[in-house]
Amino acid sequence: MEWLREIPMFKAMTNQQLAEVAKIVQSQSLERGEFVFFEGAEKTAVYFIRTGAIKVYKVDEEGREQIISYLRTGDMFPHVGLFDDLPYPGTAEALSSTSLGLLPVRQFEQLLQKDPQIALTVLRVLSQKILELQQKLQDATLQSVSDRVLRTLIHLSEWYGEKRDDGRYLALRMTNRELANMIGTTRESVNRILNDLKKQGLIEIRPDGIWISHHLLGTI
């Protein structure tokens, strides 16, 4: 039950409230490349990341991934249409070995009805997520592609990276196409920007991740 306190939604709960959540929470483990759910499938559970990383994306008519979000330890998903009868709005895939907690939707709804204080906490978390999405939209419209690539690399390193004396190491294997889809640009543009950063000695692409210089980390 103690791991639940690491989830932002549950931190402020009383022991009794947390015990109620623990009664219905289930566990699920995934390896990199395994799926939590697929876009269009019936929504049956709300998920929380205990450890690991998840990407959520949609697939367009041409079969290309459109990244909705990258999620890390402590995050809840899905956020959109949490308690309606609509299917999952995207596909969720593990980016590394990942441990999840899941709450069946119907049982979670009953718990929220039973304890309005828990419901208020959920609303606060969802409101924060809306603000984050608004900021992401603003960044996409106001920043250059180069700035968006830099900001995304830095944010990912802050969320998932390991701090080192000379910068951060992001042990997250992500293709240039995935990075391009995440920020809404082309793979060719990302290739060019990353190559420029490598020539300047600001990043180093390795088989299992990316090293990011502290000089680059200090740019935002």
Side-chain angles (χ1 to χ4, degrees), residues 24 26 28 36-38 40-47 77-78 81-89 102-109:
I24 62 173
Q26 301 172 23
Q28 181 177 357
V36 185
F37 51 74
F38 293 94
E42 179 185 2
K43 192 188 307 130
T44 57
V46 179
Y47 295 85
F77 65 102
L82 194 57
F83 300 115
D84 58 31
D85 293 325
L86 296 175
Y88 286 117
L102 66 94
L103 293 172
V105 169
R106 299 298 171 237
Q107 291 176 269
F108 196 26
E109 285 179 341

Side-chain angles (χ1 to χ4, degrees), residues 3-49:
W3 71 267
L4 287 170
R5 288 217 179 273
E6 301 303 315
I7 307 298
M9 182 181 297
F10 302 133
K11 278 186 176 180
M13 287 187 182
T14 65
N15 289 335
Q16 182 176 352
Q17 289 171 329
L18 207 62
E20 292 297 317
V21 173
K23 288 179 183 178
I24 62 173
V25 72
Q26 301 172 23
S27 296
Q28 181 177 357
S29 296
L30 300 167
E31 294 302 320
R32 174 180 166 82
E34 292 188 317
F35 296 93
V36 185
F37 51 74
F38 293 94
E39 180 179 357
E42 179 185 2
K43 192 188 307 130
T44 57
V46 179
Y47 295 85
F48 305 88
I49 303 178

Side-chain angles (χ1 to χ4, degrees), residues 152-207:
T152 299
L153 285 176
I154 292 169
H155 284 168
L156 288 174
S157 73
E158 290 172 345
W159 294 340
Y160 306 114
E162 174 189 345
K163 188 175 182 181
R164 298 184 178 178
D165 291 340
D166 56 352
R168 281 184 176 272
Y169 189 69
L170 177 61
L172 184 64
R173 290 179 292 172
M174 181 169 55
T175 67
N176 289 0
R177 182 177 295 280
E178 287 175 326
L179 181 57
N181 290 340
M182 183 179 184
I183 65 176
T185 188
T186 64
R187 183 181 61 179
E188 290 74 19
S189 294
V190 168
N191 289 346
R192 184 180 65 256
I193 293 166
L194 293 182
N195 283 333
D196 287 343
L197 292 173
K198 285 190 288 186
K199 289 177 182 177
Q200 296 174 56
L202 295 175
I203 66 170
E204 183 179 322
I205 308 295
R206 300 173 184 173

